[in-house]
Amino acid sequence: MDDLKGLILSGGAGTRLRPITHTSAKQLVPVANKPVLFYGIEALVEAGVTEIGIVIAPETGDEIREAAGDGSAFGATITYITQDRPDGLAHAVLTAEDFLGSSPFVMYLGDNLLAEGITRLVSAFRDSQPDALILLTKVDDPSSYGVAELDGDRVVRLVEKPKDPPSDLALVGVYLFGPTIFEAARALEPSWRGELEITEAIDRLIESGKRVESQVVSGWWKDTGQLADMLEANRLVLEELAPRIDGEVSDDCRVESRVAVEAGAVISGSVVRGPAIIGRDARITDAFIGPYTSIGDEVEVSRSEIENSILLTGARVTDLGTRMEACLLG
Ligand code: DAU
């Protein structure tokens, strides 16, 4: 088998996290102070996939290039592929055809986070070499996702965002493909939402008798496309945080439970109740930072209370009258 390549989709319009993502890419919103996209790159590298293409949109591509660079920081080689319009996941695959060539590949949606990584999935794919291997997980609201209909263990049909879902098993945003996916993608017509749907391309593989296998995710999975999911991903990652204090915490502070304080951060007169992370050069003065909060680099918080929130680099909060909760602040 040709060696596997990686394809991360980080284009798209990203309308759902506006206004935060009006100028910046949703894949760069940090979870526990690390851009969502980086978790994907790291998961690929961990599974031994180091030749990675990242699909970018013309509007947000430069920021993504700047953040992820040539990939050397991750032990990978990154090639950027510009998709002119957000015409769908299958359109993104076709846009990347020159980069992918005849290699099998892992496609990873740049706003997805998967606790267990993808090593198990990649080795299952290498062993059985199907046309596609998809990942599924049970969800409460299947009509927001691509949904699988199963017969025993076998996937018999896939539908994108069905009004009347055939099951509660959603497609997770990590897929493995052999080169037959291109032909299936080329045969598609735009869906009701005007996109070339990868879900329909895989459904065509099934219909034409190709081998499509599936696995069910064992750990948690999050599509961070919406605020509530982003905050939940932040909570889940912070739960696993390794506590450490590299910045300065003065004696009049209380730091409880899992807390990471980055170098250059200065905390005084405050309570920090973990799980929480305080970024580089942040200033926390006479404040309460509650559980499940990520304070970005160079953030300033004084005389305010913040809980279950994400504050992006450089945000400032002073003299807030009420406790800030469940916010993403740019
Ligand atoms: O998260 C899992 C879901 O992802 C699956 O259950 C669905 O079957 C699948 O269609 C997809 O649904 P979404 O509607 O959530 O996809 P979204 O538009 O958010 O795009 C996912 C990623 O791909 C995101 O990082 C943006 C990028 N993208 C999207 C489009 C439409 C591109 O790079 N190019 C595109 O044209």
Side-chain angles (χ1 to χ4, degrees):
M1 182 189 242
D2 270 339
D3 209 30
L4 277 177
K5 289 183 179 172
L7 184 69
I8 301 184
L9 302 200
S10 289
T15 47
R16 283 175 301 199
L17 283 178
R18 271 178 195 162
I20 290 283
T21 60
H22 204 77
T23 50
S24 75
K26 65 172 173 176
Q27 301 84 2
L28 293 180
V29 174
V31 165
N33 287 5
K34 180 158 76 180
V36 174
L37 171 67
F38 289 12
Y39 292 90
I41 300 175
E42 289 171 1
L44 288 171
V45 172
E46 194 186 86
V49 179
T50 55
E51 200 175 337
I52 299 173
I54 301 188
V55 172
I56 52 177
E59 304 80 27
T60 54
D62 286 346
E63 286 172 81
I64 290 176
R65 263 179 220 269
E66 205 173 304
D70 63 1
S72 51
F74 302 92
T77 313
I78 296 179
T79 304
Y80 293 92
I81 302 150
T82 304
Q83 182 191 16
D84 293 333
R85 284 155 308 167
D87 282 349
L89 307 188
H91 179 262
V93 168
L94 291 173
T95 306
E97 194 170 357
D98 282 346
F99 164 77
L100 295 165
S102 58
S103 299
F105 61 99
V106 189
M107 175 166 118
Y108 197 114
L109 302 186
D111 56 356
N112 273 231
L113 259 178
L114 207 58
E116 63 181 350
I118 59 167
T119 307
R120 187 173 64 103
L121 192 68
V122 166
S123 64
F125 182 78
R126 285 189 200 276
D127 289 348
S128 85
Q129 307 194 11
D131 291 277
L133 174 56
I134 55 175
L135 257 193
L136 302 172
T137 196
K138 272 194 198 305
V139 292
D140 296 333
D141 54 338
S143 50
S144 306
Y145 300 96
V147 178
E149 186 179 331
L150 300 187
D151 177 12
D153 278 350
R154 212 165 52 88
V155 180
V156 291
R157 192 170 67 105
L158 296 171
V159 258
E160 183 62 27
K161 304 204 169 67
K163 284 208 179 70
D164 196 4
S167 80
D168 58 359
L169 283 173
L171 274 158
V172 164
V174 181
Y175 316 74
L176 284 115
F177 293 122
T180 49
I181 194 65
F182 294 117
E183 206 188 306
R186 259 193 291 277
L188 296 173
E189 297 288 338
S191 64
W192 59 269
R193 59 172 179 170
E195 294 185 10
L196 297 185
E197 306 285 354
I198 199 66
T199 304
E200 286 177 23
I202 308 166
D203 192 55
R204 276 175 184 263
L205 291 179
I206 298 170
E207 267 177 21
S208 60
K210 298 279 195 288
R211 208 144 52 84
V212 175
E213 295 178 355
S214 66
Q215 275 192 15
V216 175
V217 173
S218 59
W220 57 263
W221 161 70
K222 279 283 141 211
D223 167 346
T224 61
Q226 304 202 36
L227 177 63
D229 296 314
M230 178 65 77
L231 292 173
E232 196 183 343
N234 188 57
R235 289 198 292 276
L236 290 163
V237 175
L238 286 177
E239 290 283 8
E240 313 274 295
L241 188 74
R244 70 200 142 81
I245 303 219
D246 295 330
E248 247 175 75
V249 180
S250 63
D251 291 341
D252 57 357
C253 292
R254 242 173 47 228
V255 173
E256 298 166 355
S257 159
R258 273 174 197 282
V259 175
V261 179
E262 303 283 7
V266 179
I267 307 177
S268 60
S270 300
V271 175
V272 182
R273 187 166 301 152
I277 183 166
I278 314 288
R280 275 178 187 276
D281 300 319
R283 292 280 171 281
I284 310 294
T285 317
D286 302 326
F288 170 81
I289 306 297
Y292 304 109
T293 298
S294 293
I295 301 284
D297 295 348
E298 294 157 39
V299 166
E300 284 183 36
V301 180
S302 45
R303 296 174 302 276
S304 301
E305 301 183 6
I306 300 174
E307 191 175 302
N308 185 29
S309 293
I310 300 176
L311 271 60
L312 274 56
T313 302
R316 296 180 64 172
V317 180
T318 21
D319 294 303
L320 201 66
T322 60
R323 179 171 294 197
M324 177 182 204
E325 243 180 291
C327 291
L328 174 62
L329 185 73

